Amino acid sequence: MTATETHASQWHTRDFPEAARDLLQDSQTRKNVQHATNVIQGKRNKVVAELPDWEELRESGAQVKAHVLRHLDHYLTQFEENCTRAGGHVHWAADAAEANRIILGLVQQHEAKEVIKIKTMTSEEIGLNRELEAHGIRPIETDLAELIIQMGKDRPSHFVAPALHVNRAQVRAMFQREMHLPELGEEPEDLATAARIYLREKYLRIKVAISGGNFLIADTGGLCIVESEGNGRMCLTLPDVLISLVGIEKVIPSFEDLEIFLQTLPRSATGERMNPYNSTWCGVHPGDGPKEFHVVLLDNGRSPILADREARQTLQCIRCAACLNACPVYHQTGGHAYESVYAGPIGAILTPQLHSMEEGRSLPYASSLCGACYQVCPVKINIPEVLIHLRGKVVQEDQATLMGKFSLWNIGMQAAAFLFKDASRLAMAERIGRVGQKALVSKNGFIEWMPLMLSGWTQTRDLKAMPEQSFRDWWAKEKAPGAKPADRSDHA
Amino acid sequence: MRVSLFITCYNDALFPQTGKAVVNVLERLGHEIEFRPEQTCCGQMHWNTGYLREAVPIIRHFVKVYQDAETVVIPSSSCVSMMRDHYVKAAEMDGDAKLVADVEALLPRVYEFSEFLVRKLGVEDVGATYPHKVTYHASCHSMRSLHLGDIPIRLLKQVRGLDLQPVQNAQECCGFGGTFSIKNADVSSAMLADKVRMVLNTGAEVCTAVDNSCLMHLYGSLHRQRTFVRTAHIAEILAATAEGAEA
């Protein structure tokens, strides 16, 4: 089975530049995204600045995660042992298809026709909702943003705030329509009340819940989920059966490690000092919470990433989305341009790797490498470094094909590399360039149009023509030993 | 001090006045400047676009040219960040232990221009006069890779007659990103539009930076929109004197 077949979520259809071009036309979405990211970013900066040991916390988080990734087999089996001992059932899913099969089997075993869900991007990654629906099971999202996405038949654009691209007026209109509430007001309280009434009945009635997980705790076999709305707490405690789908990289060695992440995650994700709801649980307990508890450990393209020394840090991610909120590219396009469950800078490195570089190949280029993502990352993933590493993979793979070898990009880059190996070649190229550019230079001395792949540049920008004398020529003439300066007036 | 100037490929071809200004300022401060004509490029364009193997010979060439230099000064923070952030990695990738060692020996003597003035020479006032309203664009590499902090601002504040106007959202990228501006021209343009709006809001006549790459990008739009705002590398401002010689 190829990577493409295992991922049934039908996300990647267009390259980033193409998808972004459409989204850039959507001024309402752009306004919503810019407003929301500015608000979260502002809150995040404020609460991060409160911590004198923020950099140490980042470093600790990074080290714990890096350690886990080097010993993932050990911590996962330790988790399995302890979780099983506490009464949980641990399942291992190599790919999306297997995870879907396991979860579907469990739901069918309990003859459930409906399931309630806590926001889980991992379930989006494996296309779980469509799989359930195809078998006559109705998944009901209980996270407000996910509910909005589900009702609007939309796609999440941000993995902490999936409906970040939608504004309040748009949500109100949708609720009026879908919940049959023509009189619904537009205050946040009105919308939250409508959702609460709509959902509460479902918590009490539906017997199977599906969640993701923020942390798998190896030394206790427990799980931890942080959330803001309380819907998670309902799903984790009220139903008879709880199924948690978690990526294998989410394991941490011990309960004590939460001390780091429960400080860095909420501050990075929502700009809160602490999440309003922090749920940790371990196995099953008679008379308290679910009677049956399953964990599905998902690989789905993760273990090959472990083998790549440069890119392994990608799996340190704790899904706070701070990099999305800080990213100037994300600010412009929002998440849908990435055509991936995981958008933004982390999505740009995670998505192509999860698909063995067969999909999302344009994503490593969807960054100006400004470094804002790395600066805010609470586990210090050097995203620009990984982006470049993945660009290297894309280039190498392209160069192995005839089309790639003879592409304008490759030819141009090879030519430039040839020039940069020897200054006399470069100086010659500069002289040729000064003559050659004449065809492009307008009367005002600027290049206002360039051909082929350079045309995008001159859509919105002029380029100053190369001046008559390069610096090296000036130096040779004026400053070099033996030079006879003709005119020193330009060099006071 | 004997200072070796690495002009960088694009400054050599497109912004020779920046190199002249660097020479001017450093000579004024009493240093001896040399220019090694064998120099070419730092390899950043290739490396950042994913042509990693192609970047290695360029890096090797740089190291060969400057290996025995006392101090190398570069009027481009992005080229310096290329060296500090990626040279060792590139040499390791190539499996060339000698290159790794040579890079590690050379890099401590390599400085970005404004960093050299303030951190190495301890100079903030270079005796410049520039009676213009100026705003400073903090390039991403200068902030997040070289951590220049307020170094360029401190230099500008000492310039006679200069009226420094702060820009909003200073930490946000102008959208250049080298080949990013070609591969993702539309997104890059949108980022640039935001940045240009912020620059225009300052009311400055001149926008400066420690990187001509960002300035080329910004000026591309400022000129297309027929604004009267000019761009000038910080070295050109620091080279300007009361006698009216703006290098």
Side-chain angles (χ1 to χ4, degrees), chain A residues 21 310 332 365 370 391 399 413-414 420 430 453 457-458 460-462 471-472 479, chain B residues 12 27 37 40 46 48-49 53-54 89 144 181 186 188-189 194 217 220 223-224:
Chain A
R21 196 173 303 131
E310 303 286 328
Q332 297 297 340
Y365 289 94
C370 82
R391 291 176 184 189
Q399 286 173 337
M413 285 291 177
Q414 298 306 330
F420 289 149
E430 286 175 356
M453 62 204 188
W457 219 85
T458 40
T460 57
R461 315 159 185 89
D462 294 336
F471 180 84
R472 66 176 69 242
K479 302 284 287 182
Chain B
D12 179 34
E27 284 187 346
T40 58
H46 286 89
N48 281 2
T49 313
R53 285 180 306 189
E54 288 80 355
K89 180 181 287 264
R144 288 185 274 262
S181 64
D186 297 304
S188 165
S189 292
D194 280 359
H217 194 229
H223 187 266
R224 173 64 59 89

mmCIF file of all heavy atoms in Angstrom, chain A residues 21 310 332 365 370 391 399 413-414 420 430 453 457-458 460-462 471-472 479, chain B residues 12 27 37 40 46 48-49 53-54 89 144 181 186 188-189 194 217 220 223-224:
data_model
loop_
_atom_site.group_PDB
_atom_site.id
_atom_site.type_symbol
_atom_site.label_atom_id
_atom_site.label_comp_id
_atom_site.label_asym_id
_atom_site.label_seq_id
_atom_site.Cartn_x
_atom_site.Cartn_y
_atom_site.Cartn_z
ATOM 1 N N ARG A 21 -3.056 31.353 -3.725
ATOM 2 C CA ARG A 21 -3.518 32.413 -4.630
ATOM 3 C C ARG A 21 -5.030 32.619 -4.475
ATOM 4 O O ARG A 21 -5.511 33.741 -4.392
ATOM 5 C CB ARG A 21 -3.180 32.037 -6.075
ATOM 6 C CG ARG A 21 -3.265 33.215 -7.039
ATOM 7 C CD ARG A 21 -2.766 32.825 -8.427
ATOM 8 N NE ARG A 21 -1.408 32.322 -8.384
ATOM 9 C CZ ARG A 21 -1.005 31.181 -8.959
ATOM 10 N NH1 ARG A 21 -1.871 30.421 -9.600
ATOM 11 N NH2 ARG A 21 0.243 30.794 -8.879
ATOM 12 N N GLU A 310 18.114 14.639 10.950
ATOM 13 C CA GLU A 310 17.880 16.087 10.801
ATOM 14 C C GLU A 310 16.429 16.452 11.114
ATOM 15 O O GLU A 310 16.153 17.511 11.655
ATOM 16 C CB GLU A 310 18.168 16.522 9.360
ATOM 17 C CG GLU A 310 19.558 16.217 8.872
ATOM 18 C CD GLU A 310 20.576 17.158 9.486
ATOM 19 O OE1 GLU A 310 20.213 18.314 9.754
ATOM 20 O OE2 GLU A 310 21.717 16.710 9.715
ATOM 21 N N GLN A 332 -1.251 35.545 6.164
ATOM 22 C CA GLN A 332 -1.797 35.983 4.880
ATOM 23 C C GLN A 332 -2.812 35.001 4.314
ATOM 24 O O GLN A 332 -3.813 35.408 3.740
ATOM 25 C CB GLN A 332 -0.662 36.165 3.852
ATOM 26 C CG GLN A 332 0.357 37.234 4.217
ATOM 27 C CD GLN A 332 -0.246 38.634 4.293
ATOM 28 O OE1 GLN A 332 -1.305 38.918 3.745
ATOM 29 N NE2 GLN A 332 0.443 39.519 4.990
ATOM 30 N N TYR A 365 8.486 24.793 0.891
ATOM 31 C CA TYR A 365 8.816 26.092 0.289
ATOM 32 C C TYR A 365 7.847 27.196 0.724
ATOM 33 O O TYR A 365 8.019 28.350 0.345
ATOM 34 C CB TYR A 365 8.834 25.976 -1.239
ATOM 35 C CG TYR A 365 10.027 25.190 -1.737
ATOM 36 C CD1 TYR A 365 9.939 23.832 -1.984
ATOM 37 C CD2 TYR A 365 11.259 25.815 -1.904
ATOM 38 C CE1 TYR A 365 11.042 23.091 -2.405
ATOM 39 C CE2 TYR A 365 12.364 25.095 -2.321
ATOM 40 C CZ TYR A 365 12.248 23.736 -2.577
ATOM 41 O OH TYR A 365 13.349 23.025 -2.976
ATOM 42 N N CYS A 370 11.738 33.058 7.964
ATOM 43 C CA CYS A 370 11.950 34.235 8.810
ATOM 44 C C CYS A 370 12.305 33.844 10.237
ATOM 45 O O CYS A 370 12.818 34.656 10.998
ATOM 46 C CB CYS A 370 10.730 35.145 8.795
ATOM 47 S SG CYS A 370 9.415 34.657 9.926
ATOM 48 N N ARG A 391 13.594 20.708 1.755
ATOM 49 C CA ARG A 391 13.803 21.269 0.418
ATOM 50 C C ARG A 391 14.920 20.491 -0.277
ATOM 51 O O ARG A 391 14.845 20.200 -1.471
ATOM 52 C CB ARG A 391 14.166 22.752 0.511
ATOM 53 C CG ARG A 391 13.008 23.620 0.968
ATOM 54 C CD ARG A 391 13.417 25.083 1.145
ATOM 55 N NE ARG A 391 12.303 25.858 1.679
ATOM 56 C CZ ARG A 391 12.283 27.177 1.788
ATOM 57 N NH1 ARG A 391 13.336 27.884 1.414
ATOM 58 N NH2 ARG A 391 11.228 27.799 2.271
ATOM 59 N N GLN A 399 15.906 16.045 -9.057
ATOM 60 C CA GLN A 399 17.076 15.925 -9.935
ATOM 61 C C GLN A 399 17.247 14.503 -10.459
ATOM 62 O O GLN A 399 17.945 14.286 -11.444
ATOM 63 C CB GLN A 399 18.351 16.366 -9.187
ATOM 64 C CG GLN A 399 18.439 17.874 -9.014
ATOM 65 C CD GLN A 399 19.603 18.298 -8.132
ATOM 66 O OE1 GLN A 399 20.091 17.508 -7.323
ATOM 67 N NE2 GLN A 399 20.046 19.530 -8.288
ATOM 68 N N MET A 413 20.034 27.045 -11.181
ATOM 69 C CA MET A 413 20.824 26.855 -9.963
ATOM 70 C C MET A 413 22.193 26.243 -10.286
ATOM 71 O O MET A 413 23.195 26.604 -9.657
ATOM 72 C CB MET A 413 20.061 25.959 -8.975
ATOM 73 C CG MET A 413 18.920 26.686 -8.292
ATOM 74 S SD MET A 413 19.554 27.957 -7.151
ATOM 75 C CE MET A 413 18.032 28.677 -6.594
ATOM 76 N N GLN A 414 22.229 25.331 -11.232
ATOM 77 C CA GLN A 414 23.522 24.744 -11.607
ATOM 78 C C GLN A 414 24.423 25.813 -12.223
ATOM 79 O O GLN A 414 25.624 25.865 -11.954
ATOM 80 C CB GLN A 414 23.346 23.583 -12.610
ATOM 81 C CG GLN A 414 22.529 22.402 -12.085
ATOM 82 C CD GLN A 414 23.051 21.842 -10.772
ATOM 83 O OE1 GLN A 414 24.256 21.899 -10.497
ATOM 84 N NE2 GLN A 414 22.157 21.336 -9.937
ATOM 85 N N PHE A 420 29.585 30.754 -9.066
ATOM 86 C CA PHE A 420 30.033 31.098 -7.713
ATOM 87 C C PHE A 420 31.294 30.335 -7.294
ATOM 88 O O PHE A 420 31.840 30.572 -6.230
ATOM 89 C CB PHE A 420 28.908 30.851 -6.695
ATOM 90 C CG PHE A 420 27.783 31.840 -6.806
ATOM 91 C CD1 PHE A 420 26.473 31.467 -6.483
ATOM 92 C CD2 PHE A 420 28.011 33.145 -7.215
ATOM 93 C CE1 PHE A 420 25.432 32.380 -6.575
ATOM 94 C CE2 PHE A 420 26.972 34.067 -7.309
ATOM 95 C CZ PHE A 420 25.670 33.673 -6.994
ATOM 96 N N GLU A 430 28.560 39.081 -14.562
ATOM 97 C CA GLU A 430 28.038 40.415 -14.222
ATOM 98 C C GLU A 430 28.123 41.336 -15.437
ATOM 99 O O GLU A 430 27.197 42.106 -15.705
ATOM 100 C CB GLU A 430 28.835 41.006 -13.054
ATOM 101 C CG GLU A 430 28.510 40.357 -11.711
ATOM 102 C CD GLU A 430 29.387 40.868 -10.572
ATOM 103 O OE1 GLU A 430 30.306 41.680 -10.822
ATOM 104 O OE2 GLU A 430 29.146 40.453 -9.438
ATOM 105 N N MET A 453 9.627 32.110 -14.689
ATOM 106 C CA MET A 453 9.382 31.964 -13.262
ATOM 107 C C MET A 453 9.650 33.249 -12.486
ATOM 108 O O MET A 453 9.237 33.387 -11.344
ATOM 109 C CB MET A 453 10.235 30.826 -12.697
ATOM 110 C CG MET A 453 11.726 31.065 -12.832
ATOM 111 S SD MET A 453 12.600 29.509 -12.834
ATOM 112 C CE MET A 453 14.291 30.051 -12.754
ATOM 113 N N TRP A 457 7.614 38.041 -9.557
ATOM 114 C CA TRP A 457 8.294 39.108 -8.816
ATOM 115 C C TRP A 457 7.858 40.470 -9.322
ATOM 116 O O TRP A 457 7.502 41.356 -8.555
ATOM 117 C CB TRP A 457 9.825 38.987 -8.994
ATOM 118 C CG TRP A 457 10.565 39.294 -7.730
ATOM 119 C CD1 TRP A 457 10.818 38.408 -6.734
ATOM 120 C CD2 TRP A 457 11.125 40.550 -7.318
ATOM 121 N NE1 TRP A 457 11.515 39.043 -5.728
ATOM 122 C CE2 TRP A 457 11.718 40.345 -6.051
ATOM 123 C CE3 TRP A 457 11.181 41.825 -7.882
ATOM 124 C CZ2 TRP A 457 12.359 41.355 -5.347
ATOM 125 C CZ3 TRP A 457 11.824 42.836 -7.184
ATOM 126 C CH2 TRP A 457 12.399 42.604 -5.918
ATOM 127 N N THR A 458 7.870 40.627 -10.632
ATOM 128 C CA THR A 458 7.565 41.937 -11.210
ATOM 129 C C THR A 458 6.065 42.196 -11.341
ATOM 130 O O THR A 458 5.664 43.226 -11.857
ATOM 131 C CB THR A 458 8.268 42.100 -12.569
ATOM 132 O OG1 THR A 458 8.188 40.868 -13.282
ATOM 133 C CG2 THR A 458 9.726 42.485 -12.373
ATOM 134 N N THR A 460 4.315 42.790 -8.772
ATOM 135 C CA THR A 460 4.042 43.835 -7.771
ATOM 136 C C THR A 460 5.280 44.670 -7.441
ATOM 137 O O THR A 460 5.200 45.563 -6.626
ATOM 138 C CB THR A 460 3.553 43.204 -6.444
ATOM 139 O OG1 THR A 460 4.545 42.276 -5.988
ATOM 140 C CG2 THR A 460 2.231 42.476 -6.621
ATOM 141 N N ARG A 461 6.429 44.309 -8.056
ATOM 142 C CA ARG A 461 7.663 44.973 -7.635
ATOM 143 C C ARG A 461 8.492 45.355 -8.848
ATOM 144 O O ARG A 461 8.590 44.600 -9.807
ATOM 145 C CB ARG A 461 8.528 44.052 -6.771
ATOM 146 C CG ARG A 461 7.800 43.285 -5.702
ATOM 147 C CD ARG A 461 8.637 42.085 -5.308
ATOM 148 N NE ARG A 461 7.985 41.193 -4.368
ATOM 149 C CZ ARG A 461 7.209 40.183 -4.720
ATOM 150 N NH1 ARG A 461 6.958 39.936 -5.987
ATOM 151 N NH2 ARG A 461 6.657 39.417 -3.809
ATOM 152 N N ASP A 462 9.125 46.510 -8.769
ATOM 153 C CA ASP A 462 10.127 46.873 -9.763
ATOM 154 C C ASP A 462 11.479 46.393 -9.248
ATOM 155 O O ASP A 462 11.654 46.163 -8.057
ATOM 156 C CB ASP A 462 10.173 48.390 -9.960
ATOM 157 C CG ASP A 462 8.878 48.916 -10.566
ATOM 158 O OD1 ASP A 462 8.181 48.118 -11.224
ATOM 159 O OD2 ASP A 462 8.573 50.105 -10.367
ATOM 160 N N PHE A 471 30.934 46.541 -7.617
ATOM 161 C CA PHE A 471 31.864 46.938 -6.568
ATOM 162 C C PHE A 471 33.276 46.468 -6.885
ATOM 163 O O PHE A 471 34.243 47.206 -6.708
ATOM 164 C CB PHE A 471 31.428 46.390 -5.199
ATOM 165 C CG PHE A 471 32.369 46.787 -4.098
ATOM 166 C CD1 PHE A 471 32.251 48.015 -3.482
ATOM 167 C CD2 PHE A 471 33.408 45.944 -3.697
ATOM 168 C CE1 PHE A 471 33.134 48.409 -2.480
ATOM 169 C CE2 PHE A 471 34.301 46.326 -2.704
ATOM 170 C CZ PHE A 471 34.155 47.556 -2.091
ATOM 171 N N ARG A 472 33.366 45.217 -7.382
ATOM 172 C CA ARG A 472 34.713 44.672 -7.626
ATOM 173 C C ARG A 472 35.432 45.482 -8.706
ATOM 174 O O ARG A 472 36.638 45.690 -8.624
ATOM 175 C CB ARG A 472 34.668 43.182 -7.946
ATOM 176 C CG ARG A 472 33.969 42.798 -9.246
ATOM 177 C CD ARG A 472 34.073 41.289 -9.511
ATOM 178 N NE ARG A 472 33.287 40.506 -8.559
ATOM 179 C CZ ARG A 472 33.802 39.622 -7.715
ATOM 180 N NH1 ARG A 472 35.084 39.397 -7.690
ATOM 181 N NH2 ARG A 472 33.007 38.949 -6.892
ATOM 182 N N LYS A 479 40.939 51.316 -5.745
ATOM 183 C CA LYS A 479 41.521 51.014 -4.443
ATOM 184 C C LYS A 479 42.600 49.952 -4.460
ATOM 185 O O LYS A 479 43.426 49.902 -3.545
ATOM 186 C CB LYS A 479 40.408 50.550 -3.478
ATOM 187 C CG LYS A 479 39.288 51.538 -3.261
ATOM 188 C CD LYS A 479 39.665 52.684 -2.352
ATOM 189 C CE LYS A 479 39.758 52.246 -0.909
ATOM 190 N NZ LYS A 479 40.081 53.402 -0.026
ATOM 191 N N ASP B 12 27.658 43.212 -4.665
ATOM 192 C CA ASP B 12 28.677 43.478 -5.679
ATOM 193 C C ASP B 12 28.022 43.937 -6.979
ATOM 194 O O ASP B 12 28.378 44.972 -7.540
ATOM 195 C CB ASP B 12 29.494 42.196 -5.914
ATOM 196 C CG ASP B 12 30.560 42.377 -6.983
ATOM 197 O OD1 ASP B 12 31.112 43.493 -7.071
ATOM 198 O OD2 ASP B 12 30.832 41.416 -7.709
ATOM 199 N N GLU B 27 37.388 53.063 7.065
ATOM 200 C CA GLU B 27 38.618 53.847 6.887
ATOM 201 C C GLU B 27 38.593 55.094 7.775
ATOM 202 O O GLU B 27 39.597 55.479 8.367
ATOM 203 C CB GLU B 27 38.807 54.228 5.418
ATOM 204 C CG GLU B 27 39.305 53.053 4.572
ATOM 205 C CD GLU B 27 39.668 53.427 3.141
ATOM 206 O OE1 GLU B 27 39.306 54.535 2.683
ATOM 207 O OE2 GLU B 27 40.303 52.594 2.475
ATOM 208 N N PRO B 37 39.542 39.887 -4.433
ATOM 209 C CA PRO B 37 38.710 39.772 -5.641
ATOM 210 C C PRO B 37 38.309 38.341 -5.980
ATOM 211 O O PRO B 37 37.439 38.136 -6.814
ATOM 212 C CB PRO B 37 39.606 40.374 -6.741
ATOM 213 C CG PRO B 37 40.986 40.381 -6.202
ATOM 214 C CD PRO B 37 40.888 40.422 -4.721
ATOM 215 N N THR B 40 33.182 35.289 -4.022
ATOM 216 C CA THR B 40 31.974 35.183 -4.854
ATOM 217 C C THR B 40 30.710 35.342 -3.999
ATOM 218 O O THR B 40 30.171 36.439 -3.900
ATOM 219 C CB THR B 40 31.927 33.843 -5.618
ATOM 220 O OG1 THR B 40 31.986 32.760 -4.694
ATOM 221 C CG2 THR B 40 33.077 33.746 -6.614
ATOM 222 N N HIS B 46 21.548 28.856 -2.788
ATOM 223 C CA HIS B 46 21.482 27.425 -3.074
ATOM 224 C C HIS B 46 21.004 26.644 -1.860
ATOM 225 O O HIS B 46 20.101 25.821 -1.941
ATOM 226 C CB HIS B 46 22.849 26.912 -3.533
ATOM 227 C CG HIS B 46 23.184 27.332 -4.927
ATOM 228 N ND1 HIS B 46 23.842 28.512 -5.211
ATOM 229 C CD2 HIS B 46 22.924 26.753 -6.127
ATOM 230 C CE1 HIS B 46 23.974 28.623 -6.518
ATOM 231 N NE2 HIS B 46 23.431 27.577 -7.106
ATOM 232 N N ASN B 48 19.353 27.569 0.894
ATOM 233 C CA ASN B 48 17.976 27.802 1.331
ATOM 234 C C ASN B 48 16.935 27.309 0.325
ATOM 235 O O ASN B 48 15.786 27.091 0.679
ATOM 236 C CB ASN B 48 17.740 29.301 1.594
ATOM 237 C CG ASN B 48 18.294 29.722 2.944
ATOM 238 O OD1 ASN B 48 18.877 28.917 3.655
ATOM 239 N ND2 ASN B 48 18.103 30.981 3.286
ATOM 240 N N THR B 49 17.329 27.135 -0.918
ATOM 241 C CA THR B 49 16.374 26.640 -1.908
ATOM 242 C C THR B 49 16.409 25.116 -1.975
ATOM 243 O O THR B 49 15.612 24.508 -2.675
ATOM 244 C CB THR B 49 16.685 27.263 -3.289
ATOM 245 O OG1 THR B 49 16.868 28.671 -3.111
ATOM 246 C CG2 THR B 49 15.544 27.081 -4.261
ATOM 247 N N ARG B 53 23.830 20.196 -1.955
ATOM 248 C CA ARG B 53 25.129 19.726 -2.455
ATOM 249 C C ARG B 53 25.835 20.810 -3.258
ATOM 250 O O ARG B 53 27.048 20.948 -3.219
ATOM 251 C CB ARG B 53 24.927 18.488 -3.339
ATOM 252 C CG ARG B 53 24.631 17.232 -2.525
ATOM 253 C CD ARG B 53 24.432 16.057 -3.443
ATOM 254 N NE ARG B 53 23.409 16.345 -4.466
ATOM 255 C CZ ARG B 53 22.920 15.429 -5.296
ATOM 256 N NH1 ARG B 53 23.352 14.197 -5.254
ATOM 257 N NH2 ARG B 53 21.989 15.751 -6.179
ATOM 258 N N GLU B 54 25.017 21.583 -3.988
ATOM 259 C CA GLU B 54 25.584 22.643 -4.821
ATOM 260 C C GLU B 54 26.165 23.772 -3.975
ATOM 261 O O GLU B 54 27.025 24.522 -4.443
ATOM 262 C CB GLU B 54 24.509 23.203 -5.761
ATOM 263 C CG GLU B 54 24.108 22.274 -6.906
ATOM 264 C CD GLU B 54 23.123 21.182 -6.501
ATOM 265 O OE1 GLU B 54 22.797 21.066 -5.291
ATOM 266 O OE2 GLU B 54 22.678 20.428 -7.387
ATOM 267 N N LYS B 89 27.052 22.534 9.479
ATOM 268 C CA LYS B 89 26.155 21.460 9.052
ATOM 269 C C LYS B 89 26.451 21.035 7.608
ATOM 270 O O LYS B 89 26.499 19.845 7.291
ATOM 271 C CB LYS B 89 24.711 21.941 9.178
ATOM 272 C CG LYS B 89 23.679 20.928 8.779
ATOM 273 C CD LYS B 89 22.291 21.509 8.904
ATOM 274 C CE LYS B 89 21.890 21.636 10.348
ATOM 275 N NZ LYS B 89 21.094 20.487 10.807
ATOM 276 N N ARG B 144 16.611 37.369 14.524
ATOM 277 C CA ARG B 144 16.412 36.028 15.077
ATOM 278 C C ARG B 144 17.599 35.098 14.906
ATOM 279 O O ARG B 144 17.668 34.067 15.563
ATOM 280 C CB ARG B 144 15.139 35.421 14.485
ATOM 281 C CG ARG B 144 13.891 36.077 15.050
ATOM 282 C CD ARG B 144 12.628 35.412 14.568
ATOM 283 N NE ARG B 144 12.211 35.947 13.297
ATOM 284 C CZ ARG B 144 11.284 36.895 13.155
ATOM 285 N NH1 ARG B 144 10.657 37.370 14.194
ATOM 286 N NH2 ARG B 144 10.981 37.333 11.960
ATOM 287 N N SER B 181 10.292 34.590 -2.713
ATOM 288 C CA SER B 181 9.570 35.672 -3.388
ATOM 289 C C SER B 181 9.297 35.330 -4.857
ATOM 290 O O SER B 181 8.497 35.996 -5.514
ATOM 291 C CB SER B 181 10.359 36.978 -3.292
ATOM 292 O OG SER B 181 11.592 36.854 -3.973
ATOM 293 N N ASP B 186 2.884 35.364 -4.872
ATOM 294 C CA ASP B 186 1.637 36.013 -4.421
ATOM 295 C C ASP B 186 1.626 36.223 -2.914
ATOM 296 O O ASP B 186 1.266 37.302 -2.442
ATOM 297 C CB ASP B 186 0.426 35.172 -4.831
ATOM 298 C CG ASP B 186 0.312 35.064 -6.343
ATOM 299 O OD1 ASP B 186 0.249 36.117 -6.995
ATOM 300 O OD2 ASP B 186 0.323 33.940 -6.858
ATOM 301 N N SER B 188 4.219 36.290 -0.999
ATOM 302 C CA SER B 188 5.293 37.241 -0.737
ATOM 303 C C SER B 188 4.815 38.672 -0.972
ATOM 304 O O SER B 188 5.091 39.574 -0.185
ATOM 305 C CB SER B 188 6.479 36.894 -1.649
ATOM 306 O OG SER B 188 7.394 37.950 -1.695
ATOM 307 N N SER B 189 4.062 38.870 -2.052
ATOM 308 C CA SER B 189 3.523 40.206 -2.358
ATOM 309 C C SER B 189 2.568 40.681 -1.273
ATOM 310 O O SER B 189 2.562 41.860 -0.916
ATOM 311 C CB SER B 189 2.770 40.190 -3.696
ATOM 312 O OG SER B 189 3.669 39.989 -4.747
ATOM 313 N N ASP B 194 1.742 44.508 3.348
ATOM 314 C CA ASP B 194 1.566 44.852 4.765
ATOM 315 C C ASP B 194 2.770 45.636 5.284
ATOM 316 O O ASP B 194 2.626 46.618 6.001
ATOM 317 C CB ASP B 194 1.409 43.579 5.612
ATOM 318 C CG ASP B 194 0.000 43.016 5.535
ATOM 319 O OD1 ASP B 194 -0.839 43.625 4.845
ATOM 320 O OD2 ASP B 194 -0.253 41.957 6.156
ATOM 321 N N HIS B 217 13.635 44.349 -1.946
ATOM 322 C CA HIS B 217 12.251 43.898 -1.988
ATOM 323 C C HIS B 217 11.302 45.053 -1.662
ATOM 324 O O HIS B 217 10.356 45.329 -2.390
ATOM 325 C CB HIS B 217 12.091 42.759 -0.978
ATOM 326 C CG HIS B 217 10.835 41.977 -1.133
ATOM 327 N ND1 HIS B 217 10.006 41.692 -0.080
ATOM 328 C CD2 HIS B 217 10.277 41.411 -2.215
ATOM 329 C CE1 HIS B 217 8.982 40.980 -0.517
ATOM 330 N NE2 HIS B 217 9.123 40.793 -1.806
ATOM 331 N N GLY B 220 11.273 47.660 -4.309
ATOM 332 C CA GLY B 220 10.544 47.174 -5.480
ATOM 333 C C GLY B 220 9.096 47.614 -5.455
ATOM 334 O O GLY B 220 8.537 48.047 -6.467
ATOM 335 N N HIS B 223 8.788 51.715 -5.203
ATOM 336 C CA HIS B 223 8.958 52.333 -6.522
ATOM 337 C C HIS B 223 7.768 52.039 -7.419
ATOM 338 O O HIS B 223 7.261 52.933 -8.099
ATOM 339 C CB HIS B 223 10.253 51.840 -7.171
ATOM 340 C CG HIS B 223 10.577 52.549 -8.452
ATOM 341 N ND1 HIS B 223 10.197 52.058 -9.686
ATOM 342 C CD2 HIS B 223 11.222 53.715 -8.696
ATOM 343 C CE1 HIS B 223 10.612 52.898 -10.633
ATOM 344 N NE2 HIS B 223 11.237 53.917 -10.053
ATOM 345 N N ARG B 224 7.290 50.795 -7.385
ATOM 346 C CA ARG B 224 6.134 50.446 -8.218
ATOM 347 C C ARG B 224 4.935 51.320 -7.857
ATOM 348 O O ARG B 224 4.173 51.742 -8.714
ATOM 349 C CB ARG B 224 5.810 48.962 -8.026
ATOM 350 C CG ARG B 224 4.537 48.477 -8.693
ATOM 351 C CD ARG B 224 4.566 48.566 -10.205
ATOM 352 N NE ARG B 224 5.619 47.820 -10.867
ATOM 353 C CZ ARG B 224 5.522 46.540 -11.267
ATOM 354 N NH1 ARG B 224 4.416 45.868 -11.046
ATOM 355 N NH2 ARG B 224 6.537 45.951 -11.874
#
